[in-house]
């Protein structure tokens, strides 16, 4: 039998955070995205470096980044940043 090569599609969303103590918030967002059929990933460190999260999203080819921080958590919102394509760099805040 010929060896089959596993084909992996890039994850659609990197869930990132600004500030410390956001691991559960990031995992909760990933879970919501997974339940909606959207592939998502996050850094599992307690307080990941912001620049490292952006580089991880770029390196993984994630087209979108969902961002949560203390203010977003308090307001019940998240930021969505476009990482690829014509709208690259655009960021909006949504509930």
């Amino acid at each position: 039998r010929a060896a089959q090569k596993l084909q992996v599609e890039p994850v659609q969303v990197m869930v990132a955070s600004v500030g410390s103590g956001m691991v559960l918030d990031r995992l909760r967002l990933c879970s919501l995205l997974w339940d909606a059929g959207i592939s998502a990933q996050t850094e599992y460190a307690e307080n990941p470096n912001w620049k490292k999260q952006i580089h991880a999203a770029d390196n993984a080819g994630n087209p979108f980044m969902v961002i949560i921080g203390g203010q977003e958590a308090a307001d019940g919102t998240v930021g969505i940043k476009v990482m690829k394509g014509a709208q690259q760099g655009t960021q909006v805040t949504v509930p």
Side-chain angles (χ1 to χ4, degrees), residues 13-17 23 26-27 30 34 40-44 48 53:
V13 177
M14 167 65 82
V15 177
S17 63
V23 172
R26 290 194 314 268
L27 291 174
C30 281
W34 296 330
Q41 66 183 18
T42 191
E43 297 289 321
Y44 293 99
Q53 292 176 92

Side-chain angles (χ1 to χ4, degrees), residues 34-56:
W34 296 330
D35 288 347
I38 299 169
S39 59
Q41 66 183 18
T42 191
E43 297 289 321
Y44 293 99
E46 178 66 29
N47 187 20
N49 178 284
W50 174 245
K51 286 185 179 182
K52 287 184 180 180
Q53 292 176 92
I54 291 173
H55 290 299

Side-chain angles (χ1 to χ4, degrees), residues 13 63-67 78-82 89-95:
V13 177
F64 299 98
M65 181 178 265
V66 171
I67 306 157
V78 295
I80 300 175
K81 182 173 183 171
V82 179
T90 302
Q91 184 171 331
V92 296
T93 301
V94 297

